[in-house]
Amino acid sequence: MPDYHDDLRLGHVLADAADAATMERFKALDLKVETKPDMTPVSEADKAAEELIRGQLQRARPRDAVLGEEFGSEGAGPRRWIIDPIDGTKNYVRGVPVWATLIALMERGEGGDRPVVGIVSAPALNRRWWAADGLGAFTGRSLTSATRLRVSQVGRIQDASFAYSSLTGWEERGKLPSFLDLSRDCWRTRGYGDFWPYMMIAEGSVDICAEPELSLWDMAACAVVVNEAGGQFTGLDGKPGPHSGNAAASNGLLHEDLLGYLGDSPH
């Protein structure tokens, strides 16, 4: 079985560099937006963070491919790093601290590409989560000061905490009635949005979440963390992993129920 310790260590180095860059711009933007969000400075921060990560990967892993939100795909081969320099850009531009840099490593296997390392770093929240295939999922400030993550044991929708990003995409999918049914049937709903609900699933503080439209870089790192914490991460079609253009994540016990409400195929 491959050992991903070195890749995980590199991921932390990349996240440290990105944190420094994004926090510097976040402070510069803080409380400056008055009437309409001007996305220009934030796109600069996005690009700067991704360029930093790509530069370090070029030196440390020159043979690996890279896919990033800002600069697209580069290189080829069985190993590919997936980068979202700022997940939660709208929060970032408005001074809301819920945003993160997402870094994942995907490896090609018999069943296609799958994420094997994931780091989610949210410096404005002073939080970081990470996981690697077969090594478990953790949270903490560094590899040495870490707490193991485990999903909840909630087994009934009536007792479940359900997180989502917004209502808009569900309406477009024709799933708004089912979404509202799920909201009524579960114990609690909260619109935390972006990377955070997936990390809360891994921590056991949220039980189910789903989003109707996502890119690979939104999901790859989150998928590893959820899976390694004992949860389940699929598309709304029920296919495992971050390849479906949307996501359903849970503690595992509630996954079939979640797909029963919001899934694309009959379950």
Side-chain angles (χ1 to χ4, degrees):
M1 188 172 155
D3 180 347
Y4 297 108
H5 281 99
D6 283 349
D7 296 310
L8 199 50
R9 275 193 288 272
L10 174 60
H12 277 275
V13 171
L14 301 174
D16 289 343
D19 285 357
T22 51
M23 282 303 284
E24 190 183 343
R25 298 299 292 145
F26 186 59
K27 287 171 185 167
L29 288 168
D30 202 9
L31 306 177
K32 296 264 174 72
V33 180
E34 284 161 14
T35 51
K36 62 175 186 175
D38 172 14
M39 300 307 263
T40 318
V42 79
S43 63
E44 286 167 21
D46 277 293
K47 285 176 178 169
E50 187 171 320
E51 277 174 335
L52 260 177
I53 293 169
R54 282 176 178 267
Q56 294 202 7
L57 280 172
Q58 186 60 48
R59 290 189 291 276
R61 297 284 190 277
R63 284 186 288 188
D64 292 355
V66 182
L67 169 69
E69 180 174 15
E70 299 299 323
F71 296 104
S73 193
E74 195 179 345
R79 286 165 51 97
R80 182 166 63 146
W81 294 85
I82 313 290
I83 304 157
D84 188 344
I86 301 177
D87 183 55
T89 302
K90 288 175 179 147
N91 283 345
Y92 186 97
V93 81
R94 292 302 303 268
V96 178
V98 183
W99 48 271
T101 296
L102 313 184
I103 300 165
L105 171 64
M106 297 188 74
E107 224 172 42
R108 193 163 303 146
E110 284 174 26
D113 288 5
R114 65 188 187 93
V116 292
V117 173
I119 293 119
V120 175
S121 194
L125 293 174
N126 208 21
R127 298 294 312 274
R128 188 178 290 182
W129 302 262
W130 68 89
D133 190 46
L135 297 176
F138 298 87
T139 184
R141 295 305 312 283
S142 70
L143 279 167
T144 46
S145 60
T147 309
R148 185 84 185 249
L149 298 175
R150 292 300 304 170
V151 295
S152 74
Q153 293 301 300
V154 172
R156 299 187 331 145
I157 284 291
Q158 298 93 309
D159 302 324
S161 179
F162 167 44
Y164 63 95
S165 278
S166 71
L167 296 179
T168 47
W170 297 111
E171 195 159 23
E172 286 156 23
R173 292 183 82 83
K175 288 283 179 184
L176 191 54
S178 306
F179 179 95
L180 295 172
D181 286 343
L182 175 55
S183 300
R184 290 184 196 104
D185 292 348
C186 67
W187 170 63
R188 187 173 193 241
T189 58
R190 281 292 180 271
Y192 300 109
D194 302 304
F195 67 93
W196 209 7
Y198 303 103
M199 299 305 99
M200 289 198 255
I201 282 180
E203 289 179 343
S205 50
V206 161
D207 311 303
I208 51 175
C209 79
E211 288 185 89
E213 193 175 348
L214 292 167
S215 298
L216 181 59
W217 49 75
D218 297 314
M219 297 185 279
C222 296
V224 195
V225 176
V226 168
N227 287 332
E228 285 294 315
Q232 208 170 338
F233 191 108
T234 71
L236 294 169
D237 53 11
K239 290 179 183 163
H243 299 288
S244 301
N246 46 54
S250 75
N251 63 3
L253 300 173
L254 295 170
H255 211 77
E256 285 302 312
D257 291 328
L258 174 60
L259 291 175
Y261 285 93
L262 299 177
D264 284 340
S265 53
H267 283 267

